[in-house]
């Protein structure tokens, strides 16, 4: 009998934001395949004997997606119940969709277990609501880390600018200068508030705020590093008043 592969979201990093189901599957599974994104607090709770880090190979190189896919199938075919643990929600920029397709194509039983995505939770943990009746009636989730082999940007920043809603950029620390420029070029007010939330819900969470014009300098001065989300829009400007009133 083959085992089942559970594609499980681990949430933004606070172990109390794991779902009850994720916690149960972590306890009951035979093997947990993970990378670094779930964060130390969650990973340290998993017995070493069943953890397999597929984020990095010896030598610091990344394990390729095809190796991860093959490993999931191999373990399940050997009868193991496998948790493929992914930061946040498995289907938000986590390649969970591709992994599901691979499992389905190989006839491996699988189940998707949603998680609390950092796209919403990291801003929320920093007192930033991604929607607000007076400031944003839509929110877009965007990758800031585009495939460098793609000939042109797959993200239509101009169209995003036109929505007038909140824009949350994941994997967007490094390319902050590029997309803030694209948004300004698309006519977004340079005074639009922008917040960077680093290590949302984790020890050492930090928030740095500025505007579309200043946020690159703010990032550099604060030394903001991944994992962090960028929040662009009026909702990112409520923060200081709220903190002052706390
Ligand atoms: N599936 C994940 C996202 C994977 S992409 C999810 O739903 O959250 C990885 C990106 O997620 C990081 O580059 C960062 O932008 C974001 N991220 C993950 N955890 C975070 C955290 N605790 N705080 C801030 N950003 C986080």
């Amino acid at each position: 009998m083959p085992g089942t592969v559970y594609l499980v979201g681990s949430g933004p990093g606070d172990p109390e934001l794991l779902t009850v189901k994720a916690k149960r599957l972590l306890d009951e599974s035979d093997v947990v395949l993970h990378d670094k994104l779930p964060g130390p607090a969650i990973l340290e709770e998993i017995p070493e004997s069943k953890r397999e880090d597929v984020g990095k190979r010896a030598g610091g190189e990344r394990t390729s997606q095809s190796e991860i896919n093959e490993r999931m199938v191999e373990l399940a075919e050997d009868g193991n119940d496998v948790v493929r643990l992914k930061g946040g929600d498995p289907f938000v920029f986590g390649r969970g969709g591709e992994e599901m397709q691979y499992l389905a194509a190989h006839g491996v039983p699988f189940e998707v277990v949603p998680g609390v995505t950092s796209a919403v939770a990291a801003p929320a943990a920093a007192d930033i609501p991604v929607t607000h009746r007076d400031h944003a009636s839509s929110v877009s989730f965007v990758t800031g880390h585009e495939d460098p082999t793609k000939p042109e940007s797959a993200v239509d920043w101009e169209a995003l600018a036109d929505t007038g809603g909140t824009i949350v950029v994941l994997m967007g620390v490094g390319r902050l200068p590029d997309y803030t420029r694209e948004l300004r070029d698309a006519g977004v007010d340079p005074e639009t508030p922008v917040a960077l939330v680093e290590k949302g819900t984790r020890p050492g969470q930090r928030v740095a705020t500025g505007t579309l014009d200043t946020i690159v300098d703010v990032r550099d001065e604060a030394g903001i590093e991944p994992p962090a989300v960028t929040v662009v829009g009026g909702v990112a400007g409520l923060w200081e008043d709220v903190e002052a009133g706390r």
Side-chain angles (χ1 to χ4, degrees):
M1 277 286 283
T4 299
V5 177
Y6 298 90
L7 296 171
V8 178
S10 66
D14 176 350
E16 290 193 301
L17 293 173
L18 270 173
T19 64
V20 175
K21 188 161 186 174
K23 181 88 182 94
R24 175 175 65 75
L25 290 168
L26 285 173
D27 289 342
E28 291 176 0
S29 61
D30 301 305
V31 186
V32 179
L33 298 181
H34 67 87
D35 50 35
K36 295 269 178 295
L37 196 58
I42 288 171
L43 295 175
E44 281 160 15
E45 288 296 304
I46 304 166
E48 193 102 35
S49 56
K50 66 179 193 184
R51 272 170 50 179
E52 210 175 295
D53 187 346
V54 291
K56 288 259 157 57
R57 260 195 311 230
E61 214 182 318
R62 278 185 78 82
T63 312
S64 72
Q65 189 61 49
S66 60
E67 284 173 279
I68 297 171
N69 291 346
E70 284 160 22
R71 186 69 183 137
M72 288 190 298
V73 170
E74 178 182 63
L75 285 164
E77 283 177 348
D78 286 346
N80 296 291
D81 282 330
V82 179
V83 166
R84 169 69 175 118
L85 192 67
K86 309 189 75 89
D89 181 273
F91 282 179
V92 178
F93 300 124
R95 305 189 77 167
E98 290 164 57
E99 293 180 6
M100 173 182 68
Q101 287 172 302
Y102 189 89
L103 294 168
H106 288 76
V108 174
F110 69 87
E111 186 180 335
V112 180
V113 180
V116 175
T117 181
S118 67
V120 175
D127 301 333
I128 298 171
V130 292
T131 71
H132 186 295
R133 210 153 59 94
D134 300 332
H135 298 277
S137 50
S138 72
V139 53
S140 306
F141 302 134
V142 190
T143 172
H145 179 88
E146 288 202 66
D147 184 346
T149 60
K150 282 186 198 163
E152 56 193 85
S153 174
V155 178
D156 186 342
W157 293 99
E158 215 169 313
L160 283 172
D162 284 345
T163 67
T166 306
I167 302 171
V168 180
V169 187
L170 282 79
M171 299 176 281
V173 177
R175 302 217 167 151
L176 186 69
D178 301 333
Y179 60 84
T180 49
R181 192 194 54 244
E182 295 231 35
L183 287 170
R184 283 196 313 260
D185 289 351
V188 179
D189 182 352
E191 296 300 314
T192 302
V194 181
L196 298 168
V197 184
E198 179 191 72
K199 296 200 186 86
T201 82
R202 304 182 186 191
Q205 170 179 308
R206 292 199 296 163
V207 189
T209 52
T211 65
L212 214 44
D213 246 357
T214 65
I215 197 68
V216 173
D217 291 338
V218 169
R219 174 198 69 177
D220 294 343
E221 271 158 38
I224 298 289
E225 285 181 11
V229 296
T230 310
V231 187
V232 181
V235 293
L238 309 176
W239 186 75
E240 276 171 42
D241 283 348
V242 170
E243 295 315 297
R246 255 178 186 270

